[in-house]
Amino acid sequence: GGGGSGGGSSDGSSGDSSSCSSSQRQPLNPSICKLLVPFASEHADTGLMVASATVILSCFILKPEALQGAYASFLNKHGGKTVAHYRAVQSICLAKDNSEVRQRAATAAHRLYSKDPAARDALLAAAASTPNTAAAYRGLRANLYRMILHPGKSTGRHFAEFFVGSLGRSLAVNLPLYAVPALLVHRQRLLGPRGPKLAMRAALGSARSSAFLSAYCAMAWLGPDIVQTLVGDMRAWTIVAGVPMAGLAVLIEKPSRRQELGVYCASRAVEAAALCTVDWGWVPASVQGWRVDVALFALAAAAIMHCYNTERDVFKSKYLNVLDFVFGNQGHGRQSISHVASYYQVLMAGAPQACPPPPPAKARKALLPPGKGSGKES
């Protein structure tokens, strides 16, 4: 923390407390450091996104009940297909034998392409075929993936058309996310000389995030298609092996945004994984009623406040500004959280009857730059 050197008091007690807290810090155990090395990598956010995409997208196809609420609706919309398409792929992946595969393929043909005779007849012909070897059956299953999702189109053509067609849906989501904060936070600057630059920055950010979301969804379909083409089969494991490719789309985003997306998707992946473990019977009934979410929130809040009090430099500037706004402008002076010079005082300065008393001189000195705290108060 850098609070201890910001202008000492006459008795020097603050400087001693700062040096004392610094001297008490002990290095981490080498084993713990080795465990934390992957998280310190510059590509840790991408790895987190790939792992999260594996869980989320596998559940999206194979176990959709593990994704609930608005997030499930979000995936259904941006998946670019109908729910019937998703369930058709799921049913064939989970089919136990070849006769079940043919039956489910025929059902999908009538349900999905009743108004497209060419696609329906091609899928029915594949369902009615009886390959002579096991390898031929596996190849038939691999072809069913393409015939269900993009009949009559090659893998590359479907990816390109899906990406371009998805940009409009993605832009409708991301444009408000960039425009509304810009109007609220920079509403005065937008009318000034820097207005065009700020507007262009928001527009580029929106376009970049839209490209990420479109690529994420397009690669979610592309990955399993590639795996199934290579192995010549369509199974649940080929879906799980292919969907991680979607996580690589996060490289389109800027690094700070990658971390935000990775953390958000990780929370959704943990939720989906927890629901799967409960459904599979891996969690005892006596434990299922525990409020683990509350415990996790308490631990996370404790970690944040501990670092906010002692290790402010680990926070990004934007998040630190939010914490300072909540806990009092500069947050803390000499390694202890303080509420001096809060935004409440600034906002209420024009209302003498409601304005709290000004902070003491000792607290004001803590906010001064180094070397300027020794002057006398005027």
Side-chain angles (χ1 to χ4, degrees):
S5 61
S9 61
S10 58
D11 58 2
S13 59
S14 61
D16 293 337
S17 64
S18 176
S19 61
C20 179
S21 67
S22 299
S23 62
Q24 290 177 351
R25 295 176 187 167
Q26 300 295 331
L28 288 175
N29 185 287
S31 299
I32 298 178
C33 290
K34 291 180 180 179
L35 292 175
L36 295 177
V37 165
F39 299 96
S41 170
E42 61 178 345
H43 301 299
D45 47 9
T46 304
L48 180 61
M49 193 67 184
V50 169
S52 301
T54 303
V55 177
I56 293 172
L57 297 175
S58 296
C59 290
F60 177 66
I61 296 298
L62 303 174
K63 197 171 182 61
E65 60 271 18
L67 300 173
Q68 302 178 347
Y71 189 66
S73 301
F74 175 85
L75 291 178
N76 286 334
K77 176 181 178 181
H78 290 274
K81 313 293 181 182
T82 66
V83 177
H85 284 86
Y86 311 145
R87 300 293 77 81
V89 173
Q90 176 197 26
S91 64
I92 293 177
C93 285
L94 301 180
K96 298 178 181 179
D97 52 43
N98 294 323
S99 61
E100 194 171 353
V101 169
R102 293 195 298 270
Q103 179 183 358
R104 293 180 177 183
T107 301
H110 292 291
R111 182 176 299 175
L112 299 176
Y113 299 110
S114 59
K115 297 181 180 180
D116 187 348
R120 182 192 59 209
D121 293 344
L123 193 52
L124 287 173
S129 63
T130 54
N132 298 323
T133 63
Y137 264 119
R138 291 195 298 269
L140 172 63
R141 295 167 71 108
N143 288 331
L144 288 176
Y145 181 87
R146 291 183 286 273
M147 298 175 73
I148 291 174
L149 294 178
H150 51 93
K153 298 179 182 178
S154 65
T155 300
R157 179 185 171 187
H158 173 257
F159 173 79
E161 291 183 355
F162 185 98
F163 176 79
V164 175
S166 178
L167 287 174
R169 294 191 299 268
S170 302
L171 193 62
V173 172
N174 288 287
L175 187 59
L177 293 179
Y178 283 84
V180 173
L183 292 174
L184 293 177
V185 178
H186 303 294
R187 56 187 179 278
Q188 295 181 349
R189 296 181 181 178
L190 287 172
L191 301 177
R194 293 190 60 198
K197 183 177 180 181
L198 293 175
M200 181 60 67
R201 184 184 302 175
L204 290 176
S206 177
R208 193 172 189 175
S209 294
S210 299
F212 152 73
L213 182 56
S214 297
Y216 179 87
C217 297
M219 294 171 73
W221 296 122
L222 176 66
D225 202 345
I226 293 176
V227 172
Q228 286 156 184
T229 300
L230 293 175
V231 303
D233 199 358
M234 177 184 176
R235 303 279 182 174
W237 70 265
T238 61
I239 300 293
V240 176
V243 292
M245 181 182 293
L248 297 176
V250 79
L251 293 172
I252 297 175
E253 287 281 14
K254 58 183 180 180
S256 60
R257 177 74 172 155
R258 294 174 200 167
Q259 295 180 0
E260 297 172 359
L261 290 168
V263 171
Y264 175 78
C265 290
S267 66
R268 294 297 182 179
V270 170
E271 180 184 23
L275 292 175
C276 288
T277 56
V278 171
D279 186 67
W280 295 335
W282 295 1
V283 180
S286 59
V287 180
Q288 294 179 15
W290 292 5
R291 293 305 304 269
V292 181
D293 52 347
V294 177
L296 288 175
F297 180 84
L299 290 174
I304 290 173
M305 296 311 300
H306 171 76
C307 294
Y308 179 65
N309 185 44
T310 60
E311 302 288 346
R312 285 171 58 91
D313 56 330
V314 303
F315 293 103
K316 292 183 178 181
S317 60
K318 294 181 180 179
Y319 191 58
L320 185 60
N321 289 339
V322 173
L323 291 174
D324 285 341
F325 179 84
V326 174
F327 294 104
N329 198 14
Q330 293 296 324
H332 64 77
R334 300 179 176 88
Q335 297 301 335
S336 60
I337 296 175
S338 172
H339 292 274
V340 298
S342 67
Y343 275 95
Y344 175 79
Q345 292 173 302
V346 176
L347 293 174
M348 299 300 293
Q353 70 279 7
C355 184
K362 188 174 181 179
R364 288 199 299 269
K365 286 183 179 180
L367 304 178
L368 294 175
K372 295 187 179 182
S374 59
K376 297 181 179 180
E377 296 291 334
S378 58

